Amino acid sequence: TFVIGMVIGVSIMTLTGLGFFLYVFSGGEIESYAIAPLDTDSQILTEPIKDIVTDNPTVIAGVTTDYPITLVQYVDYECRFCKKFFPDVVALTKEHSDKVRLVIKQYPLVQIHPHAKTASLAAYCADEQDKLIEYSNKLFERQNDLADDTLFDTIANGLELNKDQFSACRTSASTAQQV
């Protein structure tokens, strides 16, 4: 009876997953109101996902907003899992740019990663000059050096970002509110 129960359980889960993917790829639309992200100062849930996707997202693949799949990736530059996952998500999005868009949200977990917010501010400013992916890749490459405040300008110079615009953005109060 245990084996029969396992077979039935696995079958139900497989059919449910298959139904979900068929629904998404056949043009169905799923309204998601799950709660995310955490406010990094207080760790209180604050925004519904629907607002995150439509509220000034960074889109790196494609030019339209009509995609059957939207991936929302929260990035913390001190997170070793983010470092491992980020290049794969970018590659997947570029490979399937006709069906998938990537929305990147800065999500520094300041309680456990003390330098992540500074890195996120710098990445946000690189995004203003359309270099978010390149800048993020460099931050992940130098993940162990994020305590060095000169690193952010060094990366910006290497990517030929406008130095004055980048510096002004990093020190702006409005930037701090965005991250």
Side-chain angles (χ1 to χ4, degrees):
T1 59
F2 175 76
V3 174
I4 294 172
M6 290 297 293
V7 169
I8 291 172
V10 169
S11 298
I12 290 172
M13 294 302 291
T14 302
L15 289 174
T16 302
L18 180 62
F20 171 77
F21 283 109
L22 288 174
Y23 180 75
V24 169
F25 284 108
S26 69
E29 198 170 311
I30 297 175
E31 291 291 325
S32 176
Y33 293 95
I35 300 297
L38 295 175
D39 172 0
T40 56
D41 291 331
S42 63
Q43 297 298 301
I44 297 172
L45 296 172
T46 57
E47 298 179 66
I49 285 178
K50 185 173 183 180
D51 294 340
I52 290 169
V53 173
T54 58
D55 183 30
N56 194 23
T58 298
V59 180
I60 63 155
V63 293
T64 69
T65 58
D66 188 24
Y67 292 97
I69 300 171
T70 297
L71 294 176
V72 180
Q73 181 171 10
Y74 296 92
V75 178
D76 178 326
Y77 293 101
E78 282 190 270
C79 170
R80 61 188 171 123
F81 301 107
C82 293
K83 177 182 180 177
K84 186 174 183 178
F85 193 61
F86 187 77
D88 295 334
V89 170
V90 170
L92 175 77
T93 304
K94 287 182 179 180
E95 182 179 331
H96 300 285
S97 62
D98 59 329
K99 294 181 183 161
V100 180
R101 77 171 170 167
L102 174 60
V103 177
I104 297 173
K105 290 294 189 174
Q106 301 299 326
Y107 189 60
L109 297 173
V110 295
Q111 287 81 1
I112 58 174
H113 298 137
H115 309 293
K117 185 158 188 166
T118 308
S120 290
L121 289 169
Y124 180 87
C125 294
D127 183 36
E128 285 191 348
Q129 297 184 44
D130 298 321
K131 295 285 188 174
L132 176 62
I133 299 304
E134 297 88 344
Y135 198 91
S136 294
N137 285 330
K138 296 291 184 187
L139 286 173
F140 283 127
E141 287 172 14
R142 306 276 308 268
Q143 190 174 55
N144 294 331
D145 301 327
L146 294 179
D148 179 8
D149 201 43
T150 62
L151 171 68
F152 308 112
D153 289 330
T154 301
I155 294 172
N157 290 336
L159 294 175
E160 300 178 354
L161 297 180
N162 179 305
K163 184 184 248 182
D164 295 333
Q165 181 182 348
F166 184 76
S167 295
C169 177
R170 283 189 62 210
T171 57
S172 167
S174 64
T175 301
Q177 290 176 344
Q178 295 296 321
V179 175

